[in-house]
Amino acid sequence: MPLEYKYLLYNHSKSINEAKYNNIDYVFDIKNPYATLTNAAHKTCYFVFSLHVISNLISLFQTICLMILSYGSIPKHLSFIMDGNRRFAKSINQPLKKGHELGSLTLLQILFFAKTIGVNHLSVYAFSIENFNRSKNEVDILMALLVEKLSELSQKCTNSTVADNIIFKGIQIKIVGDLSYLNDNMNQKIKEIESLTALKEKSLDVFTLYICCPYTSRNEIYHAVKKNVNLKLSDNYDYEISENSLENQMFLSHYTNNCELIIRTSGARRYSDYLMWQTHMNSSFIFSKTLWPDYGFHHFFIDLFKWGFYQSLCIWKKTNISRKQLSKWSIKNEFLAKKESCVSYFLSNTTVNRMVHPTLRVSRIFIKRNFKKSIDDLPKPPPAISITQRN
Amino acid sequence: MNSTKEFKVDIKTENGDSNSLSVSSRSNTPVSDLDDGNKESVCEVKNLNDSNGFKNLADEHLSAAFTSPRVTSLTRDRPPENLRPDIGAAVPSFSNMSYIAKNTISKKTKKSTNSICEDSFDYETDVDGTRKISRYIFLEIHRILRAIFDVILKCILAFFYCFFAILRFFEYNYNSMKLKFYSLIYNPSNSPQLIRSDVSSLSKIPKILAAIVDYKSEEEVGGGVLGLMENSSDIVAWSLSAGIKHLYLYDHDGLLKNDVGLLRRIIYNNLRKYFGPAKVPKFAVRIPHTNQIFYNLPPTPISLEYVEKADKKISIEVILLSKVDGRETIVDLTKSMAELCKQGLLDEKDITQDLVDKELRKLVGEEPDLLLYFGPNLDLQGFPPWHIRLTELFWEHDNNDVSYTVFIRGLKEYAGSKVNVGK
């Protein structure tokens, strides 16, 4: 048969939604009606999606959609900044730990999606070095959760008696980062997990999950610099320091050197010290406004679909078009431009200038341009507060 | 041809050396503390002229030899969302749907083990030596089914793509309409008072602002080096009127650095437009890569007296960055550290993250608080990777010119932002 029907009929929706349903407690709080309502809504949603028939239909639909997507362009290395677990927990009136647990379930789902569409490397920002600033209790909870979930996942990947083994088969887990921050116990467990899931045969099409745990990008660059200095000193004159040699000493670079697509959830538009070296040249960013536990199938599908669309346009532009076609297309494009301008005619520069002109005049009536005023005579600006240097 | 090539390489390494040697010695002198900046600027202008002369020579002889390996902002790989609008791909629309459909369907399917339709059967493996006809037929049927399946899924994908192309067309128009609408609301009209009144309602403004400006080809509006400089001078005027003291201007190829004299004249001219000719605010242009500082206008024989009188108190510091301040600076730093370690001046154990941070701050500058990109989709173009740790990134979708709208909306976004590192 052309399809592995087990794959197609695998019901990923049921187990995850059930787990999510069991993780949330319904809390009635009259003081906080909004959170109570969202809590109830989430709980009912998870319940409905974990019903037998509905979950089967949904997972079949989702799998087919992902298969369609896999025929387009797919990033080799996809990366997630999983932000918003605690905000989500707060919004549904639950303790913070539940937020992290729901987040880990979402990651499990994303893992399946990414594997299905054919991503080779999936990396996630699980724990930053800065996160050690949090309360010790929370750090301990996070670490324990991480180890628990990872050992669970490694069982799924290797043990063929577990039910989910059909889809999680052949996933490699790597923990990336400055492991000296962790205690020996953690390090040992991490090593076990890594060696358990490592594939013996080397092939190009493997799926690897990178958990960036105590990781910051500055730390990574610094380590690369230090290692290069060490190598230079030990190798005397043979070792040459260059961009490539630095790149080869990055934590992630044992496996992959660049990252095509970064998705950050929860709406903040900044890096927060993640993969800066790998992505500052020509990678795409998607800043999604949903919180991480809410990041479901449709967000994933739309984000990757859009990226694949633009990427394939790029590829076609590079390869497919001979000179003859190019001239043909450019002629067509002029025609197209005219057609498109029908809509945007009213928005063209000249029209806007005509429209803006009166406002310019009006504004000049109200605020007279006083050339005698120098820069010092202007009203005081708001205080310049730096968000980067304060921290 | 060969000799000139070597010459250029030599100059490059010299630059690198001077830079790397200065790693430990160069002190971060604040602009206002410099004693005789004028003399410095005079001699540095000479230097610049030399390099320009060399550049012209090199361009004549070596343009063919050097264009292929060198990556410029026009030839480099862009993130896929930032398509150049040459072929009708930038704004997919009704008329290039056949193009999209044709290409989607004709794309070869790659055999990847990750995808579900795995072709795990083989002719040789299952049969021990002999081939049975039934097995053969089964495999052929399997192949045909698979091909049909592929085509069907590809057709659906092509349909999705076409549908998205239509959506994208409307999205593009909606976005550009929105931007025009904003440009009606926010209008600087060349007056600092208006900008200041826009800003004064905000709770905070960034201490250091960074802006990435794109080089556009000469045929476009605001294209060419002159267009680039005019755009940057606009940004300087806006941030000056908003009360920002430090401004990074980043362009991928370092075109702004190439002709600082012209840039200073253009900035001066633009500030005259904003503040009136009598009281043009003082500004300084700093190039961290070569460690040079220029004040106000470049001196001319006639205006020398006037310039000498000018005081060092400046209202804005403009810092010019390019690709060399990114990865190359980190590489240079590593090299010089290795050199110092070898000479015994620096202990290996002393190389800490703080030291690297300190040196990079000296070499490039502080981390900016807000980064504005004046293009359709975020594209960092190799902005120094060490310096974007917590920087707020701002851009407007489908915006393609340096406009005040992006600037003021970026500032508003920044005023509402909150960072809690780790916590």
Side-chain angles (χ1 to χ4, degrees), chain A residues 63-310:
Chain A
T63 316
I64 289 176
C65 279
L66 292 173
M67 280 164 56
I68 291 167
L69 196 62
S70 73
Y71 282 86
S73 308
I74 294 301
K76 266 191 181 161
H77 183 178
L78 173 65
S79 199
F80 280 100
I81 301 181
M82 309 189 287
D83 196 3
N85 283 340
R86 297 192 299 170
R87 248 169 292 170
F88 181 76
K90 231 176 252 174
S91 79
I92 59 167
N93 226 340
Q94 292 285 310
L96 299 182
K97 199 195 164 195
K98 298 271 173 178
H100 294 303
E101 257 172 35
L102 291 175
S104 70
L105 287 168
T106 308
L107 177 61
L108 215 62
Q109 209 170 10
I110 296 293
L111 198 63
F112 170 68
F113 295 156
K115 191 166 186 274
T116 312
I117 62 170
V119 172
N120 284 2
H121 310 277
L122 176 74
S123 55
V124 290
Y125 197 11
F127 198 83
S128 156
I129 291 176
E130 313 279 358
N131 284 149
F132 283 112
N133 292 341
R134 291 182 183 178
S135 67
K136 194 173 177 295
N137 188 20
E138 202 190 342
V139 171
D140 288 346
I141 287 175
L142 266 174
M143 285 296 165
L145 190 73
L146 194 79
V147 169
E148 186 199 323
K149 293 288 164 189
L150 281 182
S151 46
E152 217 172 88
L153 183 62
S154 64
Q155 281 301 317
K156 277 181 189 171
C157 301
T158 50
N159 194 347
S160 56
T161 53
V162 182
D164 291 343
N165 186 253
I166 320 153
I167 53 158
F168 289 108
K169 189 171 50 184
I171 293 180
Q172 290 190 82
I173 302 174
K174 307 268 183 207
I175 282 93
V176 180
D178 194 350
L179 296 180
S180 62
Y181 279 89
L182 301 175
N183 53 20
D184 294 341
N185 195 9
M186 273 288 285
N187 270 327
Q188 205 188 341
K189 276 177 185 167
I190 282 170
K191 260 180 201 166
E192 272 174 25
I193 291 165
E194 274 190 357
S195 61
L196 192 65
T197 54
L199 291 181
K200 269 122 205 165
E201 308 152 25
K202 276 198 173 179
S203 65
L204 285 173
D205 291 317
V206 287
F207 183 88
T208 322
L209 170 71
Y210 305 100
I211 309 279
C212 297
C213 173
Y215 173 92
T216 56
S217 193
R218 281 192 171 182
N219 185 277
E220 186 186 28
I221 296 172
Y222 150 69
H223 270 279
V225 167
K226 194 166 186 184
K227 267 182 199 164
N228 264 281
V229 172
N230 280 343
L231 283 171
K232 177 87 180 174
L233 287 179
S234 58
D235 271 20
N236 261 335
Y237 294 99
D238 299 337
Y239 191 78
E240 198 179 322
I241 295 171
S242 65
E243 220 173 279
N244 281 335
S245 76
L246 266 179
E247 199 161 56
N248 290 334
Q249 293 303 326
M250 300 272 163
F251 291 142
L252 262 170
S253 300
H254 301 292
Y255 319 108
T256 170
N257 265 338
N258 63 329
C259 173
E260 278 96 345
L261 177 61
I262 271 198
I263 299 177
R264 178 174 182 148
T265 52
S266 93
R269 283 171 158 191
R270 68 183 93 84
Y271 268 97
S272 297
D273 225 338
Y274 182 61
L275 289 186
M276 286 168 338
W277 178 280
Q278 284 86 350
T279 56
H280 78 127
M281 297 298 269
N282 44 29
S283 343
S284 318
F285 302 84
I286 292 172
F287 293 98
S288 171
K289 280 196 175 162
T290 44
L291 303 174
W292 173 251
D294 263 342
Y295 194 85
F297 170 76
H298 58 285
H299 298 109
F300 182 85
F301 183 79
I302 288 170
D303 286 349
L304 270 118
F305 178 79
K306 272 186 186 173
W307 189 88
F309 178 71
Y310 294 125

Side-chain angles (χ1 to χ4, degrees), chain A residues 71 134 230 280 320 336 379 385, chain B residues 95 103 150 196 348 382 414:
Chain A
Y71 282 86
R134 291 182 183 178
N230 280 343
H280 78 127
N320 253 0
L336 176 76
I385 299 168
Chain B
S95 50
N103 276 304
D150 279 358
R196 191 53 72 86
E348 247 182 86
Y414 177 80

